[in-house]
Amino acid sequence: MEKRRSIEVGGVKHVNPIPSASRKGPFVASGAISGADPETGKVPADLDTQCRNMFGNVRRIVEAAGGSTGDILKMTVWISDRNLRETMNRYWVEMFPDPHSRPARHTIAQPDLAPPIQIQCDLFAVIGES
């Protein structure tokens, strides 16, 4: 069986020695994915930009692993306040427009995310063997 390999994506860097994601065979699992700007690594203050960046980072990670957003099976999203779902859902539908082909999602209110983070996620994807 193939070895596990780390997936690194610029701008989605952890402080600890953790890759952006890890792949073994067809399976890809990520660590926390924030709305950090991919150029600067900084998290902007406003939720709209955080959501745009977070979903962009999701796309970049799954593509770096050799797949596409269509390979994402499940995402878990942490938001600092449940009232932020409306903004997040706009980007969700933009990334996954087909209501008959969306990943499963679990959204958790987490009021103590490290400021300025208001939203973050992780993903699990199954990518065809290359």
Side-chain angles (χ1 to χ4, degrees), residues 17-29:
I18 303 167
S20 302
S22 185
R23 178 173 180 171
K24 184 164 182 168
F27 305 110
V28 176

Side-chain angles (χ1 to χ4, degrees), residues 29-119:
S30 76
I33 304 168
S34 73
D37 181 290
E39 299 297 317
T40 66
K42 305 268 188 227
V43 176
D46 69 290
L47 177 67
D48 196 67
T49 305
Q50 283 188 38
C51 285
R52 181 180 315 109
N53 290 348
M54 183 185 79
F55 282 102
N57 290 335
V58 163
R59 180 182 307 279
R60 291 172 46 243
I61 287 170
V62 77
E63 287 176 355
S68 72
T69 57
D71 297 312
I72 298 170
L73 189 60
K74 179 166 192 261
M75 289 178 64
T76 302
V77 180
W78 291 268
I79 54 176
S80 60
D81 182 328
R82 289 194 183 280
N83 294 321
L84 306 178
R85 281 180 184 233
E86 183 180 333
T87 301
M88 178 199 43
N89 283 336
R90 282 196 322 257
Y91 289 94
W92 176 264
V93 170
E94 185 178 301
M95 180 165 276
F96 308 111
D98 182 352
H100 304 289
S101 180
R102 289 185 179 137
R105 185 180 89 192
H106 184 177
T107 304
I108 302 165
Q110 185 73 37
D112 62 347
L113 291 173
I117 297 173
Q118 298 178 65
I119 188 166

